[in-house]
Amino acid sequence: MDKYNKVIKELIQFRNERDWEQFHDSKNLALAISIEASELNELFLWKKGDEVENVNPDKLKEELADVLAYAFLLAEKHNLDIFDIVSEKIKNNALKYPVEKAKGTAKKYNEL
């Protein structure tokens, strides 16, 4: 079993042992991702320069794991393979942001 499927299995087992699937509809999983992403952002709030890159690594791992866990559960709920959807997104973004126009700029595709 690969690492991804192992983690999904562990997440589902953890959830099911606590009878939390009843709370994990798509809306609540999406909201949980947003809330956990806000907690991740809080680690960087008001930091400047080197402080931004030197956040507490344990806190970073904890908050990032929360975001990913809920994202994995939402993808699993809708039978989406995270590797496939990310790969597809990269291909779509390559069309929106061709290297010759996008290299070195943070402009949005419609501003290039």
Side-chain angles (χ1 to χ4, degrees), residues 61-75:
K61 288 191 305 188
E62 184 178 331
E63 299 305 340
L64 191 54
D66 287 340
V67 171
L68 291 169
Y70 287 121
F72 289 174
L73 285 169
L74 184 59

Side-chain angles (χ1 to χ4, degrees), residues 44-97:
F44 300 98
L45 185 64
W46 312 124
K47 296 198 171 28
K48 295 180 180 178
D50 288 344
E51 289 179 301
V52 171
E53 301 305 329
N54 294 315
V55 299
N56 181 319
D58 292 327
K59 287 287 193 183
L60 179 60
K61 288 191 305 188
E62 184 178 331
E63 299 305 340
L64 191 54
D66 287 340
V67 171
L68 291 169
Y70 287 121
F72 289 174
L73 285 169
L74 184 59
E76 189 274 335
K77 181 173 194 63
H78 291 274
N79 298 312
L80 301 173
D81 181 300
I82 61 162
F83 298 106
D84 289 345
I85 64 176
V86 170
S87 182
E88 185 177 328
K89 182 66 175 178
I90 292 168
K91 288 175 188 170
N92 290 339
N93 280 347
L95 296 174
K96 285 184 187 178
Y97 298 95

Side-chain angles (χ1 to χ4, degrees), residues 7-24:
V7 168
I8 295 298
K9 184 178 177 184
E10 290 172 355
L11 280 168
I12 291 170
Q13 180 178 345
F14 180 87
R15 177 199 67 198
N16 290 350
E17 288 173 347
R18 289 153 182 81
D19 193 26
W20 287 351
E21 186 174 9
Q22 62 182 314
F23 308 117
H24 287 186

